């Protein structure tokens, strides 16, 4: 089953907690702190798998969570790092932030490996907090939480050439005749319900990857039928082969068909509409083929469109058509169109870099500076701010996390009130 869109939740692993421990041996009853650090949480990594051609495997599972790092232990033993979560996707998969729709990564090449979410850092053990004046630190740093994100995976077919045409223009017959693809062929609308890929081997060693995009209908650009789902698969192509039925077997006017499909392309994407097109006047083997061919020829000459009379059924005219397609493709090889401009992507630091503090600062209506966040809550859980040593440790924690610098950037002055949890204190440099 071909599935080209899914929404999943991903989460990196939490960092392990640092350990509070003291060296205890037979002849060393009062040894120093020896608590080890917690292990880093596992990352969430996406890799492309050339053996996959659909997102069907994601239909049955919606949550993907990396392993947590292990807590540190005594004797300065570090916790084990959490195992990374490797998520395999087909080549051509776009990873979007579900909430904004912006692109996180475009997995457009074989062998790509991208870290999307970084695991939380492991907390430091109490061995790091021993000082000449504080030789028995009874606290350690908690592990950093992982990060969760809902993403939308969207598969866009990778092909050099996109095959356009109304239903029954002969696209499936054309693709099966020129390539290794074997699409379903029958005489009814929407013969092809999923994109079909084929590789065309040309006599002079060139190959062309071609995609038969399902039949378009009027209103496709507005999402009528399966319009958006079909049109998006054309966005990576460099050349379009536009097939028309010059025999008018369905009572259609091939010139109007060309105009209407190009209108849908332009409504969907200006960049897509600007791609070079080669017109294939198909079904030239049928008795009535000359009925519309001259009209199509006149239109193509007027609009400077390369035209090739062909028959997908007999193979007539196909070789010259592909010679032209390869010529256009190779000329564009070094100047491939930029499908996704920079503004389509999320800012890299907002996704790829881990939020290293998770601490928020607000100024309330009384001018007090309110400090809060998950790391603060954890710190308050094992630090006694009413003791001199505990408060000194907490100040060090805030300074290491950059909170003091942020307070000063916000304009805090000596004597201003700082609120942390249920505790208030005056700020002094």
């Amino acid at each position: 089953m071909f599935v080209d869109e899914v929404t999943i939740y991903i989460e990196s692993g939490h960092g392990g907690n640092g350990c509070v421990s003291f060296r205890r041996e037979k002849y060393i009853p009062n040894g120093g702190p020896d608590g080890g650090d917690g292990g880093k949480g596992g990352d969430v990594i996406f890799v492309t798998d050339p053996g996959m051609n659909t997102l069907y495997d994601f239909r049955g599972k919606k949550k993907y969570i990396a392993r947590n790092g292990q807590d540190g232990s005594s004797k300065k033993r570090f916790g084990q790092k959490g195992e990374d979560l490797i998520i395999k996707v087909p080549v051509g998969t776009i990873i979007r932030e579900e909430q904004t729709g912006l692109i996180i990564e475009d997995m457009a090449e074989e062998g790509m490996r991208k870290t999307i979410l970084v695991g939380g850092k492991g907390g430091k053990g109490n061995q790091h907090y021993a000082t000449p004046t504080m030789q028995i630190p009874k606290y350690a740093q908690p592990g950093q939480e992982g990060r969760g994100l809902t993403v939308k995976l969207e598969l866009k077919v990778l092909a050099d050439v996109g095959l356009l045409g109304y239903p029954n223009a002969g696209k499936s017959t054309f693709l099966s005749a020129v390539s290794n693809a074997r699409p379903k062929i029958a005489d009814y609308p929407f013969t092809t319900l999923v994109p079909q890929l084929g590789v065309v081997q040309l006599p002079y060693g060139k190959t062309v990857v071609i995609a038969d995009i399902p039949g378009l209908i009027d209103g496709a650009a507005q999402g009528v039928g399966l319009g958006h789902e079909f049109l998006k698969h054309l966005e990576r192509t460099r050349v379009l082969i536009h097939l028309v039925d010059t025999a008018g077997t369905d009572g259609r006017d091939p010139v109007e068909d060309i105009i209407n499909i190009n209108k849908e392309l332009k409504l969907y994407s200006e960049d897509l509409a600007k791609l070079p097109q080669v017109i294939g006047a198909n079904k030239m083997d049928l008795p009535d083929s000359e009925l519309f061919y001259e009209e199509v020829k006149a239109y193509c000459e007027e609009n400077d469109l390369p035209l090739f009379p062909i028959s997908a059924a007999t193979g007539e005219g196909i070789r010259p058509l592909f010679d032209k397609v390869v010529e256009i493709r190779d000329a564009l090889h070094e100047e491939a169109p930029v499908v996704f401009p920079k503004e389509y992507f999320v800012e890299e630091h907002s996704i790829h870099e881990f939020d290293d503090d998770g601490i928020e600062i607000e100024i309330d209506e009384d001018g007090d500076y309110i400090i809060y966040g998950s790391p603060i809550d954890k710190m308050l859980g094992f630090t006694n701010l009413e003791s001199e040593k505990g408060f000194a440790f907490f100040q060090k924690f805030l300074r290491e996390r950059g909170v003091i610098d942020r307070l000063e950037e916000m304009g805090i002055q000596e004597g201003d009130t700082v609120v942390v949890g249920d505790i208030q204190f005056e700020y002094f440099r």
Side-chain angles (χ1 to χ4, degrees), residues 46-69:
F46 281 74
V47 300
T48 53
D49 182 352
M52 298 176 67
N53 57 15
T54 175
L55 298 173
Y56 180 77
D57 292 347
F58 294 91
R59 297 281 289 209
K61 185 178 179 182
K62 294 298 183 182
K63 287 188 177 181
Y64 295 81
I65 302 175
R67 298 277 186 176
N68 296 334

mmCIF file of all heavy atoms in Angstrom, residues 46-69:
data_model
loop_
_atom_site.group_PDB
_atom_site.id
_atom_site.type_symbol
_atom_site.label_atom_id
_atom_site.label_comp_id
_atom_site.label_asym_id
_atom_site.label_seq_id
_atom_site.Cartn_x
_atom_site.Cartn_y
_atom_site.Cartn_z
ATOM 1 N N PHE A 46 17.207 10.394 11.812
ATOM 2 C CA PHE A 46 16.535 9.902 10.608
ATOM 3 C C PHE A 46 17.582 9.534 9.566
ATOM 4 O O PHE A 46 18.550 10.282 9.362
ATOM 5 C CB PHE A 46 15.588 10.960 10.036
ATOM 6 C CG PHE A 46 14.273 11.063 10.753
ATOM 7 C CD1 PHE A 46 14.184 11.652 12.004
ATOM 8 C CD2 PHE A 46 13.115 10.564 10.176
ATOM 9 C CE1 PHE A 46 12.977 11.750 12.673
ATOM 10 C CE2 PHE A 46 11.892 10.653 10.836
ATOM 11 C CZ PHE A 46 11.827 11.238 12.084
ATOM 12 N N VAL A 47 17.401 8.386 8.926
ATOM 13 C CA VAL A 47 18.295 7.962 7.846
ATOM 14 C C VAL A 47 17.452 7.529 6.653
ATOM 15 O O VAL A 47 16.326 7.045 6.807
ATOM 16 C CB VAL A 47 19.224 6.803 8.287
ATOM 17 C CG1 VAL A 47 20.100 7.215 9.447
ATOM 18 C CG2 VAL A 47 18.416 5.566 8.658
ATOM 19 N N THR A 48 17.989 7.727 5.458
ATOM 20 C CA THR A 48 17.267 7.303 4.253
ATOM 21 C C THR A 48 17.589 5.853 3.932
ATOM 22 O O THR A 48 18.728 5.421 4.033
ATOM 23 C CB THR A 48 17.626 8.192 3.054
ATOM 24 O OG1 THR A 48 19.051 8.239 2.889
ATOM 25 C CG2 THR A 48 17.104 9.602 3.248
ATOM 26 N N ASP A 49 16.575 5.121 3.556
ATOM 27 C CA ASP A 49 16.704 3.711 3.191
ATOM 28 C C ASP A 49 16.243 3.539 1.751
ATOM 29 O O ASP A 49 15.052 3.667 1.457
ATOM 30 C CB ASP A 49 15.846 2.859 4.134
ATOM 31 C CG ASP A 49 15.964 1.367 3.860
ATOM 32 O OD1 ASP A 49 16.597 0.993 2.847
ATOM 33 O OD2 ASP A 49 15.428 0.569 4.650
ATOM 34 N N PRO A 50 17.178 3.259 0.828
ATOM 35 C CA PRO A 50 16.787 3.126 -0.588
ATOM 36 C C PRO A 50 15.850 1.962 -0.852
ATOM 37 O O PRO A 50 15.211 1.899 -1.903
ATOM 38 C CB PRO A 50 18.129 2.931 -1.308
ATOM 39 C CG PRO A 50 19.066 2.442 -0.255
ATOM 40 C CD PRO A 50 18.622 3.087 1.027
ATOM 41 N N GLY A 51 15.733 1.046 0.109
ATOM 42 C CA GLY A 51 14.828 -0.085 -0.051
ATOM 43 C C GLY A 51 13.392 0.239 0.271
ATOM 44 O O GLY A 51 12.490 -0.578 0.034
ATOM 45 N N MET A 52 13.128 1.429 0.810
ATOM 46 C CA MET A 52 11.764 1.843 1.138
ATOM 47 C C MET A 52 11.224 2.764 0.055
ATOM 48 O O MET A 52 11.950 3.620 -0.459
ATOM 49 C CB MET A 52 11.734 2.567 2.499
ATOM 50 C CG MET A 52 12.158 1.728 3.680
ATOM 51 S SD MET A 52 12.196 2.697 5.236
ATOM 52 C CE MET A 52 10.444 3.065 5.458
ATOM 53 N N ASN A 53 9.951 2.619 -0.284
ATOM 54 C CA ASN A 53 9.335 3.518 -1.261
ATOM 55 C C ASN A 53 7.968 4.012 -0.814
ATOM 56 O O ASN A 53 7.199 4.557 -1.595
ATOM 57 C CB ASN A 53 9.225 2.835 -2.626
ATOM 58 C CG ASN A 53 8.450 1.533 -2.559
ATOM 59 O OD1 ASN A 53 7.761 1.257 -1.570
ATOM 60 N ND2 ASN A 53 8.563 0.720 -3.593
ATOM 61 N N THR A 54 7.660 3.835 0.462
ATOM 62 C CA THR A 54 6.386 4.281 1.010
ATOM 63 C C THR A 54 6.550 4.502 2.511
ATOM 64 O O THR A 54 7.506 4.004 3.131
ATOM 65 C CB THR A 54 5.281 3.236 0.757
ATOM 66 O OG1 THR A 54 4.072 3.658 1.420
ATOM 67 C CG2 THR A 54 5.681 1.875 1.286
ATOM 68 N N LEU A 55 5.623 5.250 3.104
ATOM 69 C CA LEU A 55 5.627 5.495 4.552
ATOM 70 C C LEU A 55 4.653 4.563 5.271
ATOM 71 O O LEU A 55 4.251 4.827 6.400
ATOM 72 C CB LEU A 55 5.261 6.961 4.832
ATOM 73 C CG LEU A 55 6.219 8.014 4.263
ATOM 74 C CD1 LEU A 55 5.649 9.415 4.474
ATOM 75 C CD2 LEU A 55 7.591 7.910 4.912
ATOM 76 N N TYR A 56 4.312 3.468 4.636
ATOM 77 C CA TYR A 56 3.303 2.557 5.182
ATOM 78 C C TYR A 56 3.694 2.019 6.557
ATOM 79 O O TYR A 56 2.840 1.820 7.423
ATOM 80 C CB TYR A 56 3.082 1.393 4.218
ATOM 81 C CG TYR A 56 2.049 0.392 4.703
ATOM 82 C CD1 TYR A 56 0.695 0.681 4.611
ATOM 83 C CD2 TYR A 56 2.438 -0.817 5.271
ATOM 84 C CE1 TYR A 56 -0.261 -0.215 5.064
ATOM 85 C CE2 TYR A 56 1.494 -1.724 5.732
ATOM 86 C CZ TYR A 56 0.146 -1.426 5.623
ATOM 87 O OH TYR A 56 -0.785 -2.309 6.080
ATOM 88 N N ASP A 57 4.982 1.779 6.794
ATOM 89 C CA ASP A 57 5.426 1.203 8.064
ATOM 90 C C ASP A 57 5.086 2.082 9.258
ATOM 91 O O ASP A 57 5.070 1.605 10.399
ATOM 92 C CB ASP A 57 6.941 0.959 8.035
ATOM 93 C CG ASP A 57 7.333 -0.152 7.066
ATOM 94 O OD1 ASP A 57 6.423 -0.887 6.625
ATOM 95 O OD2 ASP A 57 8.527 -0.269 6.749
ATOM 96 N N PHE A 58 4.820 3.360 9.017
ATOM 97 C CA PHE A 58 4.528 4.277 10.123
ATOM 98 C C PHE A 58 3.048 4.304 10.496
ATOM 99 O O PHE A 58 2.666 4.972 11.454
ATOM 100 C CB PHE A 58 4.980 5.703 9.765
ATOM 101 C CG PHE A 58 6.461 5.853 9.625
ATOM 102 C CD1 PHE A 58 7.071 5.681 8.397
ATOM 103 C CD2 PHE A 58 7.257 6.144 10.717
ATOM 104 C CE1 PHE A 58 8.440 5.815 8.245
ATOM 105 C CE2 PHE A 58 8.628 6.277 10.589
ATOM 106 C CZ PHE A 58 9.225 6.107 9.351
ATOM 107 N N ARG A 59 2.230 3.595 9.745
ATOM 108 C CA ARG A 59 0.791 3.627 10.005
ATOM 109 C C ARG A 59 0.425 2.971 11.341
ATOM 110 O O ARG A 59 -0.530 3.361 11.994
ATOM 111 C CB ARG A 59 0.034 2.916 8.877
ATOM 112 C CG ARG A 59 0.185 3.572 7.522
ATOM 113 C CD ARG A 59 -0.695 4.773 7.379
ATOM 114 N NE ARG A 59 -2.084 4.422 7.278
ATOM 115 C CZ ARG A 59 -2.990 5.134 6.636
ATOM 116 N NH1 ARG A 59 -2.617 6.234 6.016
ATOM 117 N NH2 ARG A 59 -4.240 4.775 6.597
ATOM 118 N N GLY A 60 1.198 1.966 11.739
ATOM 119 C CA GLY A 60 0.841 1.225 12.946
ATOM 120 C C GLY A 60 1.503 1.721 14.209
ATOM 121 O O GLY A 60 1.203 1.236 15.300
ATOM 122 N N LYS A 61 2.421 2.670 14.098
ATOM 123 C CA LYS A 61 3.122 3.175 15.274
ATOM 124 C C LYS A 61 3.235 4.677 15.169
ATOM 125 O O LYS A 61 3.682 5.212 14.151
ATOM 126 C CB LYS A 61 4.516 2.543 15.377
ATOM 127 C CG LYS A 61 5.278 2.930 16.636
ATOM 128 C CD LYS A 61 6.633 2.232 16.692
ATOM 129 C CE LYS A 61 7.405 2.645 17.942
ATOM 130 N NZ LYS A 61 8.744 2.011 18.007
ATOM 131 N N LYS A 62 2.838 5.371 16.235
ATOM 132 C CA LYS A 62 2.779 6.830 16.178
ATOM 133 C C LYS A 62 3.768 7.511 17.130
ATOM 134 O O LYS A 62 3.973 8.716 17.042
ATOM 135 C CB LYS A 62 1.360 7.311 16.522
ATOM 136 C CG LYS A 62 0.315 6.889 15.487
ATOM 137 C CD LYS A 62 0.613 7.474 14.121
ATOM 138 C CE LYS A 62 -0.452 7.112 13.109
ATOM 139 N NZ LYS A 62 -0.141 7.638 11.764
ATOM 140 N N LYS A 63 4.378 6.758 18.070
ATOM 141 C CA LYS A 63 5.317 7.353 19.015
ATOM 142 C C LYS A 63 6.672 6.682 18.887
ATOM 143 O O LYS A 63 6.770 5.458 18.887
ATOM 144 C CB LYS A 63 4.809 7.221 20.460
ATOM 145 C CG LYS A 63 3.659 8.144 20.797
ATOM 146 C CD LYS A 63 3.352 8.101 22.287
ATOM 147 C CE LYS A 63 2.243 9.093 22.650
ATOM 148 N NZ LYS A 63 1.960 9.080 24.109
ATOM 149 N N TYR A 64 7.717 7.512 18.810
ATOM 150 C CA TYR A 64 9.087 7.024 18.685
ATOM 151 C C TYR A 64 9.938 7.755 19.719
ATOM 152 O O TYR A 64 10.147 8.971 19.606
ATOM 153 C CB TYR A 64 9.614 7.265 17.275
ATOM 154 C CG TYR A 64 8.855 6.475 16.224
ATOM 155 C CD1 TYR A 64 7.631 6.925 15.732
ATOM 156 C CD2 TYR A 64 9.348 5.272 15.748
ATOM 157 C CE1 TYR A 64 6.922 6.196 14.795
ATOM 158 C CE2 TYR A 64 8.657 4.532 14.797
ATOM 159 C CZ TYR A 64 7.449 5.004 14.329
ATOM 160 O OH TYR A 64 6.757 4.272 13.394
ATOM 161 N N ILE A 65 10.383 7.010 20.734
ATOM 162 C CA ILE A 65 11.078 7.623 21.867
ATOM 163 C C ILE A 65 12.431 6.954 22.057
ATOM 164 O O ILE A 65 12.527 5.729 22.169
ATOM 165 C CB ILE A 65 10.238 7.514 23.154
ATOM 166 C CG1 ILE A 65 8.872 8.197 22.939
ATOM 167 C CG2 ILE A 65 10.974 8.138 24.331
ATOM 168 C CD1 ILE A 65 7.916 8.047 24.107
ATOM 169 N N ALA A 66 13.483 7.773 22.106
ATOM 170 C CA ALA A 66 14.838 7.260 22.303
ATOM 171 C C ALA A 66 15.030 6.854 23.765
ATOM 172 O O ALA A 66 14.280 7.261 24.658
ATOM 173 C CB ALA A 66 15.866 8.307 21.894
ATOM 174 N N ARG A 67 16.066 6.074 24.021
ATOM 175 C CA ARG A 67 16.352 5.587 25.379
ATOM 176 C C ARG A 67 16.920 6.701 26.265
ATOM 177 O O ARG A 67 17.638 7.574 25.794
ATOM 178 C CB ARG A 67 17.369 4.454 25.322
ATOM 179 C CG ARG A 67 16.897 3.237 24.543
ATOM 180 C CD ARG A 67 16.040 2.357 25.400
ATOM 181 N NE ARG A 67 15.701 1.112 24.720
ATOM 182 C CZ ARG A 67 15.013 0.133 25.286
ATOM 183 N NH1 ARG A 67 14.584 0.264 26.522
ATOM 184 N NH2 ARG A 67 14.730 -0.969 24.610
ATOM 185 N N ASN A 68 16.584 6.626 27.547
ATOM 186 C CA ASN A 68 17.148 7.561 28.521
ATOM 187 C C ASN A 68 18.565 7.148 28.895
ATOM 188 O O ASN A 68 18.921 5.967 28.844
ATOM 189 C CB ASN A 68 16.297 7.599 29.788
ATOM 190 C CG ASN A 68 14.899 8.134 29.537
ATOM 191 O OD1 ASN A 68 14.684 8.903 28.599
ATOM 192 N ND2 ASN A 68 13.953 7.740 30.373
ATOM 193 N N GLY A 69 19.365 8.139 29.278
ATOM 194 C CA GLY A 69 20.682 7.831 29.822
ATOM 195 C C GLY A 69 20.539 7.268 31.236
ATOM 196 O O GLY A 69 19.587 7.588 31.953
#
